[in-house]
Amino acid sequence: MAMSGALAQNNAGQNALALEQQGRNAEAEAAWRAITKGDPHNAEAFAHLGLVESRQENYGEALASYHHALELNPALPGLQMNLGLAFFKAKDFKDSIKPFTAELQKHPGDQRLIILIGMAHYGMGDYFVAIPYLKQAADRDPQSLPLRLTLAHSCMLSKQFQCVLDVYKEILALNADSAEADMLAGEALDEKGDSSGAIEQFRAAVHTNPKEPNVHFGLGYLLWTQSQYADAAKEFQAELDNDPQHVQARACLGDSYVQLNDYARAEPELEKALAADPTLGPAHRDLGIIYADQDRKEDAVRELQKAIELDPKDVAPHWRLAKLDQAMGKKEEAKAEFAKASSMNKESIQALSQKLATAPKPAQ
């Protein structure tokens, strides 16, 4: 940030600026603060004070200084940009957008501002609005892989799956070995109902970088949805080999073993998963199934009831609990749970029928 002639000719201003330029931020802060106390109407001094405060990550103080400078001189060059950057670095993405937009109006097409506005919307979770800014920035920088990956994530998170696949092609042209891009394409294909294509993409991601976080988990989950439980278990185990703290992978590994009727291997995995996260409803359900098989009826009832408490819409624990109550001679309890399970199944069938009835008919 440059100084006006009047401030530049001032010895105190020259000294403060020299400290600022040398990166001696604490000393520069003290020097600029002294100037603002002596001249409380000096907008430039407040702007410089905000800059050195921001460099020290004292964003609250920096924002106060910048706002004071704005009140004194709204047209001060670079002030809106620095204000936006302070908001952005403080992760106050919403408030960063207004000063960034004001600067973009002064400097149309400024690549840095376009990226910052796009990333601010991304940081807010406003992915749909972020896309045009990120796309414009990516178009202006054909070699930028990070921009395209962020754009692909925005498309994915806003459920614009074809957009993900279009950006994926651009990423491949820059880096044919991007595991992250393969995973994103796989997720998009899965959302579009192309399970085999999704699995193929995740297998490519595993081949490219078997250590990529969540790559084995993603492939395992896709295989699990296709009832390929043995192969899914291998992928969940591979994810745990990479990250032993991956609770979802451990819970899914346990469930895969349950689906394979390998209760001896499932039980310790499920118990470990629940020790890390007791809110995993399916893990409680699976443990209930295992305990019932071991004739640990009271333990099974406890786990199934917990599963129902965590996910009342899951019909499986209701049906399992009904069968268990029946085996324990609890006729009324069994009757009630069977009724709930039956009602939930009817609702599911009705919802499917409604969906089929309202689906567009194929062209003749």
Side-chain angles (χ1 to χ4, degrees), residues 50 81 111 127 151 170 209 219 258 271 323-324 354 363:
M81 183 67 175
Q111 178 77 341
Y127 306 113
L151 173 58
E170 296 180 18
N209 183 7
L219 176 56
V258 168
E271 289 178 342
K323 295 284 287 182
L324 189 57
Q354 181 66 25

Side-chain angles (χ1 to χ4, degrees), residues 8-138:
Q9 293 171 9
N10 182 291
N11 287 335
Q14 290 178 345
N15 178 59
L17 183 61
L19 292 168
E20 176 186 312
Q21 292 173 338
Q22 293 167 20
R24 295 161 65 180
N25 295 314
E27 296 172 75
E29 178 185 348
W32 286 119
R33 194 176 301 282
I35 294 173
T36 61
K37 287 182 178 179
D39 184 0
H41 300 290
N42 191 323
E44 288 182 82
F46 277 104
H48 281 277
L49 177 58
L51 179 62
V52 293
E53 287 170 332
S54 183
R55 285 180 180 177
Q56 297 173 87
E57 301 183 5
N58 297 325
Y59 300 119
E61 295 177 10
L63 289 167
S65 296
Y66 285 142
H67 280 302
H68 200 86
L70 272 174
E71 291 174 3
L72 294 169
N73 184 1
L76 196 63
L79 182 53
Q80 291 281 6
M81 183 67 175
N82 286 339
L83 175 63
L85 287 171
F87 276 127
F88 190 91
K89 291 174 182 177
K91 301 189 185 306
D92 186 350
F93 301 115
K94 181 179 180 180
D95 285 332
S96 74
I97 291 172
K98 183 177 179 180
F100 285 152
T101 302
E103 281 296 294
L104 187 61
Q105 290 172 349
K106 298 176 192 174
H107 310 284
D110 186 285
Q111 178 77 341
R112 185 187 183 196
L113 284 164
I114 292 168
I115 293 172
L116 284 168
I117 295 172
M119 291 304 298
H121 282 292
Y122 183 92
M124 290 168 59
D126 198 355
Y127 306 113
F128 186 82
V129 179
I131 289 172
Y133 290 101
L134 295 173
K135 189 175 187 313
Q136 182 181 355

Side-chain angles (χ1 to χ4, degrees), residues 207-316:
H207 178 75
T208 299
N209 183 7
K211 297 295 184 182
E212 179 78 23
N214 286 315
V215 67
H216 291 285
F217 178 76
L219 176 56
Y221 178 76
L222 288 171
L223 293 167
W224 181 90
T225 63
Q226 300 302 302
S227 302
Q228 299 180 41
Y229 300 118
D231 289 339
K234 291 176 184 176
E235 296 303 326
F236 293 136
Q237 183 59 62
E239 188 67 43
L240 287 168
D241 291 341
N242 286 345
D243 178 9
Q245 306 305 314
H246 200 302
V247 179
Q248 286 287 349
R250 194 171 298 282
C252 289
L253 175 61
D255 182 79
S256 297
Y257 287 145
V258 168
Q259 301 297 336
L260 294 166
N261 295 315
D262 191 348
Y263 295 163
R265 297 174 76 182
E267 184 177 354
E269 300 299 344
L270 294 166
E271 289 178 342
K272 287 179 186 176
L274 286 172
D277 184 357
T279 66
L280 297 171
H284 284 287
R285 177 200 64 211
D286 287 342
L287 266 186
I289 294 170
I290 293 170
Y291 291 158
D293 184 72
Q294 295 171 349
D295 204 29
R296 296 167 56 183
K297 292 184 174 64
E298 295 300 331
D299 290 336
V301 168
R302 182 191 68 242
E303 294 299 327
L304 291 170
Q305 287 177 338
K306 187 65 177 177
I308 291 169
E309 176 189 330
L310 291 168
D311 187 2
K313 294 183 179 180
D314 184 359
V315 68

